[in-house]
Amino acid sequence: MKEIQSIIHAYETFQTEGKKVALATVVQVDGSAYRRPGARMLVSEDGELTGAISGGCLEGDALRKAQTVIFQQKSMLVTYDTTDEDDQKFGVGLGCNGIIHVLIEPIDYQNSINPIELLKIAIQDRVFCRLITVFSVKYSKQEQIGTRVLLKQDLIIGDKKKLDNLLWKQIQNEIEADDANNHIIRKFEEFDDLQVFIESIKPVISILLFGAGNDTIPLAKIADILGLEVVVIDGRKNLATPQRFPTASQLVTGSGDEVVKELDTDAHTAALLMTHNFEYEAQVLKDLLPLGLPYIGILGPKKKSEKLIERLEKKGLAVNQAAIYSPMGLDIGAEGSEEIALSILAEVKAVLAKKQGTFLRNKTGPIH
């Protein structure tokens, strides 16, 4: 999400400056690669890059091809084969060992449904979307159909005129059959081997940061670097201020029994209880539990959270402890507020991505 946000910002800047641009998108990967489908890079006519499609080995060549796309105003599909360890053309010595297909599209500022405008619509509110991109490896040298349609709730936004009606029905069938909201890449042999990248665009993770003490400032900063949305909540108006939390999307002050009512939450929301105030957090936790959040983290020793839960259960409240993480954070030997913040946000990311947060070297098979 951070990459999409950065690309949109750069796009708007280049539009103001009158610079032509092209968008490079990884649409398919066979084997291993540094970036996966959905990785993007915006290229301006004078060679400015925003985002990345690899670890740096492909950007130079993609830049040159993007400038060709800008000049010709025709999209192209570029395939990088890094499986040959003897081929140093694209920096294969870095060990990618994969085949990466990159769609490069010219961006027309006058087109209100160009690929970047569709991305803007996708992330303008907290709604899950599907972005449809059609390409052909078989006819890679020809102009590509490209990024055409955004599905947002019941809306179909974009231009599907270049899509055969039967192909469109097949795409809809693929989406309906996917209940995990994953990226989908399919080849349709009956449509002359056309390939479709159905990209899932999920809302950015929202962090409800309960606590505006000094130890939460590093967490808010790191979350901003990651592109997360941070809402700071505290009962102390002198601490929850724009000066202390300049990147917060919202500052909420009030007592523990009233603040949760002012918050918007969804399945991509994580709550972090870091106020160091037991009574405040007891009330907040009482109001958070019915919301069904995927992650509620409590700072401090396990005994603290046990006492909080015990108090609520004595009041007759059912406590689903599966979503409660206490002590919160991954065990990385964190000391100090910055390292603790890193530990906490790493756990939040792992939980919402449904990962275990283990060492990658211990995994068998692809890491993605």
Side-chain angles (χ1 to χ4, degrees):
M1 183 61 72
K2 178 71 171 182
E3 186 169 72
I4 292 177
Q5 294 168 340
S6 298
I7 285 173
I8 290 172
H9 177 72
Y11 163 83
E12 292 174 341
T13 300
F14 293 140
Q15 184 176 22
T16 301
E17 295 173 349
K19 293 182 181 180
K20 296 179 181 179
V21 296
L23 182 67
T25 305
V26 177
V27 290
Q28 182 174 321
V29 171
D30 302 312
S32 176
Y34 185 80
R35 299 298 308 274
R36 307 303 295 174
R40 290 181 172 84
M41 181 175 73
L42 185 68
V43 181
S44 70
E45 60 183 317
D46 55 355
E48 290 188 63
L49 305 180
T50 305
I53 57 171
S54 76
C57 51
L58 306 180
E59 273 69 7
D61 184 76
L63 164 62
R64 290 187 290 272
K65 288 184 168 59
Q67 289 175 321
T68 299
V69 165
I70 291 172
F71 176 75
Q72 296 179 346
Q73 287 297 294
K74 290 184 178 180
S75 60
M76 71 165 66
L77 185 74
V78 183
T79 298
Y80 297 100
D81 187 348
T82 65
T83 57
D84 185 351
E85 294 183 357
D86 294 326
D87 186 354
Q88 299 296 317
K89 184 176 181 181
F90 302 116
V92 178
L94 296 176
C96 293
N97 293 316
I99 301 174
I100 304 106
H101 302 283
V102 179
L103 174 68
I104 306 177
E105 302 173 273
I107 301 299
D108 178 7
Y109 292 123
Q110 304 304 314
N111 182 0
S112 62
I113 53 171
N114 72 48
I116 299 180
E117 291 293 341
L118 291 178
L119 288 173
K120 289 172 66 174
I121 297 170
I123 70 168
Q124 69 186 8
D125 45 32
R126 301 186 60 78
V127 175
F128 174 77
C129 300
R130 299 274 200 175
L131 188 63
I132 313 299
T133 300
V134 182
F135 61 100
S136 172
V137 174
K138 182 177 180 180
Y139 299 107
S140 61
K141 296 186 183 302
Q142 297 182 11
E143 186 173 6
Q144 302 293 305
I145 293 176
T147 306
R148 288 285 164 179
V149 179
L150 178 73
L151 302 180
K152 187 170 186 175
Q153 294 180 318
D154 296 329
L155 297 177
I156 300 176
I157 305 166
D159 178 13
K160 59 185 183 74
K161 294 178 182 177
K162 289 191 176 183
L163 304 183
D164 185 282
N165 287 334
L166 290 177
L167 174 60
W168 179 247
K169 289 182 180 179
Q170 290 277 49
I171 292 172
Q172 290 178 309
N173 290 338
E174 292 287 344
I175 293 173
E176 291 173 3
D178 173 45
D179 56 5
N181 293 335
N182 294 319
H183 292 340
I184 303 170
I185 302 172
R186 292 286 184 270
K187 178 192 284 187
F188 295 95
E189 295 180 359
E190 64 271 38
F191 296 100
D192 206 6
D193 290 344
L194 271 181
Q195 285 149 287
V196 178
F197 175 34
I198 305 171
E199 181 179 2
S200 294
I201 302 180
K202 301 175 182 179
V204 64
I205 295 174
S206 176
I207 302 293
L208 303 181
L209 180 52
F210 292 89
N214 290 344
D215 61 331
T216 64
I217 293 176
L219 191 145
K221 290 180 178 178
I222 296 174
D224 179 63
I225 292 172
L226 295 173
L228 309 184
E229 179 182 278
V230 178
V231 179
V232 178
I233 310 105
D234 203 299
R236 299 162 291 184
K237 293 183 179 181
N238 62 315
L239 294 183
T241 65
Q243 292 72 29
R244 288 168 58 81
F245 297 93
T247 58
S249 63
Q250 185 181 0
L251 296 170
V252 177
T253 56
S255 61
D257 62 351
E258 62 184 7
V259 289
V260 175
K261 301 180 182 67
E262 299 183 39
L263 305 174
D264 295 321
T265 63
D266 55 31
H268 305 278
T269 301
L272 313 180
L273 276 57
M274 302 178 66
T275 66
H276 304 282
N277 183 324
F278 185 89
E279 296 300 329
Y280 193 94
E281 292 183 3
Q283 182 59 54
V284 165
L285 183 59
K286 171 181 174 293
D287 293 338
L288 286 175
L289 287 172
L291 301 179
L293 303 183
Y295 183 100
I296 299 175
I298 303 174
L299 186 67
K302 189 176 290 290
K303 287 185 178 179
K304 173 187 173 181
S305 60
E306 290 174 347
K307 288 181 179 179
L308 284 169
I309 293 169
E310 181 182 3
R311 173 181 290 194
L312 296 180
E313 288 180 334
K314 283 183 177 180
K315 292 182 178 180
L317 295 174
V319 179
N320 175 18
Q321 297 191 37
I324 295 178
Y325 293 79
S326 177
M328 65 175 163
L330 297 181
D331 183 7
I332 60 173
E335 295 288 345
S337 56
E338 291 81 7
E339 292 180 357
I340 291 171
L342 174 65
S343 165
I344 292 169
L345 290 175
E347 182 178 60
V348 170
K349 171 60 179 175
V351 171
L352 269 66
K354 296 181 173 59
K355 300 293 183 180
Q356 294 299 312
T358 187
F359 294 115
L360 289 176
R361 72 175 185 177
N362 293 339
K363 293 191 67 175
T364 57
I367 65 173
H368 294 285

